[in-house]
Every structure is written in C-alpha cells, then in structure tokens.
C-alpha cells in the first residue's frame, strides 16, 4: 500500500511539473486551456458544441480536443461547429494526463487558437487528480444526476473554478431541487459560480465562452478552498494560474477503473487520436 501511494504521488508530481510547463508555453502564444469534467451522459458534448458554434460566429479562434474510451462520436458532433477538433481514444484509460495532451497538440493545434476546450473522459474520479495545464477547470452536472452529486464527488466539484448545471429544461420533470444542489456545491467549494444551462433551449449558452475569454484576458478565477489544503494521499495543491496539483476522490463514477501503480513511467498503452474535419 505504501508503495502504491508513493508511486501515485510521483506520477502526479511529474504530471504537475508538465502541466506548469504546458500552461506557460500556451500562455506565451496566447492560448488558454479549458478543462471540462463531468459524468458520462451529462450533456457536456451538446453544450460544448453550442459554445464552439457561438465562438465561431463571434470570430473567436477556438479548437477542441475530446477524449473517450472508444468511438469518434463526440468529435463528429463537435466538428459540426466548424471548429478544429481532435478525438483522442484512450484505450481504456479513464483520464487524460499532461504528457498525453501535449503529444496530441504537437503539430495539430492551429497557431491562432485562443481557447482550447478539452472534453475530458466522462468520469468524476480520476480526471479530478490531473492538472492538464488548464487556465479554467469547469465541472458539469445535469439536473437528472441528483442534488447530492457534489457531496459524492467532492474533489471534482471542490477544485472547480466554475460549475455548470446542464439540461435545465428537464429540471421540473426530474424534480430537481435547485436549493439543495446549490447548498451541496457550497459545502465543498464555497463561492464558486454556478450557471444553469440548456443546450437544447439555448439557456446559459455563451456563459462558458464568456468566462473563458475573461480568464484569457487576465480576469481572476475563483480560487477553490480545497486548492490550498493538503488532501489525503497528496502533498501538493491545485491552483489555476500558476497551478500545482490535485487531490483524489475515493468514490467510483467511471466506466473503467485502473490501478494508478501501473501508470508509473506510463507503462499503459498510448492513446491514439484522429482529426475530424468540420463542414
């Protein structure tokens, strides 16, 4: 057990170093990364497609990299926006890491890109521990997932700079308790902004783009309280801007679990990617 913890800390420390380097390199060229985390089926892709389309209409140079265990379905949907899109198939790995992201950006990311949206693997556990060099970390939850989602996955929600509630048009049908959800968010991440959205109805569409552009232009982001604490199993913190690391959840909400010990030295199979052209 001690060896597993030590290996995990080493892997995360290496990832954090790479994240700081990638963040600085992208900032130097005027690009900011937005890391999107959620459970499978939250409506993350639908909302991102709408945001990309709006960015294109406004003339904002954007791109998207989407990760999944299998299929290129999400990339095909996102490419309908006309933005440059790349699909990363993780071959069973339930999260992205900085080295993976950097490798897939090399030779692909258009030089004029101002915002790179990274749609992480649908999972609220493993991705929460990995800084990707993002300037804005966004966690999404749909009204159909329950008001206590933030309490079940406190690391994911506790490290968010912004929380988006999706499928708000279904709130009444799902008997969603908005007050209870907001109270749950406040318990794990006091002061974080929560925006209600519906990609189908257009509610809240544009809020993500506006927040991301503001950060790119130097606006301060919400600093999670959890980012300044030392959580179990980790001896580093996570802060966007000059970011450091993450802590970890102990729940399970992903399609494929793995042993972090096996990631020491990145012994897992390398994910592959494909570029999906827009219309």
């Amino acid at each position: 057990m001690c060896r597993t913890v030590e290996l995990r800390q080493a892997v995360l420390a290496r990832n954090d170093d790479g994240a700081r380097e990638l963040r600085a390199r992208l900032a130097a060229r005027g690009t900011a990364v937005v890391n999107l985390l959620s459970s499978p089926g939250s409506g993350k892709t639908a909302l991102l497609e709408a945001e990309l389309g709006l960015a294109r209409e406004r003339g904002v140079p954007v791109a998207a990299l989407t990760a999944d265990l299998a299929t290129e379905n999400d990339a095909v949907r996102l490419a309908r926006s006309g933005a440059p899109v790349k699909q990363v198939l993780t071959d069973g790995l339930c999260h992205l890491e900085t080295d993976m992201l950097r490798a897939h950006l090399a030779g692909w990311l258009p030089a004029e890109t101002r915002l790179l949206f990274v749609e992480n693997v649908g999972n609220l556990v493993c991705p929460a521990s990995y800084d990707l060099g993002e300037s804005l970390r966004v966690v999404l939850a749909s009204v159909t997932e329950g008001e206590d989602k933030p309490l079940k996955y406190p690391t994911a929600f506790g490290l968010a700079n912004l929380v988006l509630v999706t499928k708000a048009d279904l709130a009444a049908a799902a008997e969603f308790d908005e007050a209870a959800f907001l109270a749950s968010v406040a318990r794990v991440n006091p002061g974080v902004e929560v925006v209600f959205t519906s990609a189908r109805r257009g509610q809240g569409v544009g809020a993500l783009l506006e927040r991301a552009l503001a950060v790119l232009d130097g606006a301060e982001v919400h600093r999670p309280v959890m980012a300044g604490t030392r959580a179990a199993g980790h001896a580093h913190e996570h802060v966007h801007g000059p970011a450091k690391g993450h802590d970890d959840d102990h729940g399970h909400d992903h399609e494929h679990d793995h042993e972090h010990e096996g990631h020491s030295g990145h012994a897992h199979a390398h994910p592959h990617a494909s570029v999906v052209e827009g219309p």
Side-chain angles (χ1 to χ4, degrees):
M1 179 61 69
C2 290
R3 180 170 178 268
T4 300
V5 170
E6 290 173 358
L7 285 172
R8 177 163 173 71
Q9 290 177 336
V11 168
L12 291 173
R14 180 173 182 271
N15 182 85
D16 293 343
D17 289 342
R20 283 190 288 272
E21 179 184 344
L22 179 61
R23 183 181 294 106
R25 185 154 60 87
L26 290 175
R29 52 173 277 175
T31 304
V33 174
V34 179
N35 186 9
L36 304 176
L37 288 75
S38 79
S39 302
S42 68
K44 181 167 71 269
T45 304
L47 182 61
L48 180 54
E49 181 185 352
E51 296 283 349
L52 291 174
L54 184 60
R56 296 276 295 176
E57 291 176 12
R58 295 182 180 177
V60 180
V62 294
L65 183 146
T66 180
D68 221 331
L69 276 67
T71 83
E72 298 182 359
N73 295 349
D74 289 351
V76 171
R77 290 174 60 188
L78 294 178
R80 296 185 304 205
S81 68
V85 176
K86 190 172 190 178
Q87 177 79 57
V88 174
L89 300 180
T90 64
D91 294 326
L93 188 64
C94 66
H95 63 276
L96 287 174
E97 298 176 13
T98 300
D99 285 349
M100 297 158 57
L101 179 60
R102 180 171 47 231
H104 289 300
L105 295 182
W108 169 73
L109 187 65
E112 70 276 10
T113 303
R114 295 198 71 204
L115 293 174
L116 170 65
F117 291 91
V118 176
E119 183 180 14
N120 220 313
V121 180
N123 175 356
L124 282 176
V125 182
C126 302
S129 296
Y130 289 85
D131 185 353
L132 298 182
E134 67 261 24
S135 297
L136 187 67
R137 172 172 288 215
V138 183
V139 176
L140 301 87
S142 72
V143 298
T144 60
E145 294 179 65
E147 297 82 0
D148 61 348
K149 199 77 171 184
L151 302 181
K152 290 182 176 180
Y153 302 95
T155 298
F157 285 90
L159 291 173
N161 304 117
L162 174 67
V163 174
L164 299 181
V165 180
T166 59
K167 305 183 183 181
D169 54 305
L170 300 178
E175 298 183 349
F176 179 74
D177 188 333
E178 179 178 331
F181 180 84
L182 293 175
S184 295
V185 173
R187 282 183 60 183
V188 299
N189 195 343
V192 69
E193 181 182 14
V194 180
V195 178
F196 285 76
T197 70
S198 169
R200 178 180 297 178
R201 306 297 185 196
Q203 177 184 348
V205 173
L208 175 58
L209 177 62
E210 291 172 3
R211 304 311 189 273
L213 286 173
V215 171
L216 185 65
D217 291 338
E220 285 292 322
V221 298
H222 167 72
R223 303 290 182 178
V225 174
M226 186 179 288
T229 64
R230 293 172 179 266
H234 296 268
H236 46 274
E237 58 184 346
H238 177 89
V239 178
H240 290 291
K244 296 184 181 178
H246 301 83
D247 58 14
D248 187 33
D249 269 322
H250 299 287
H252 297 276
D253 189 42
H254 48 79
E255 302 166 16
H256 177 87
D257 201 357
H258 63 276
E259 292 295 332
H260 287 286
E261 181 173 353
H263 291 282
S264 180
H266 297 273
H268 53 73
H270 292 287
H272 53 282
S274 58
V275 176
V276 179
E277 300 293 340

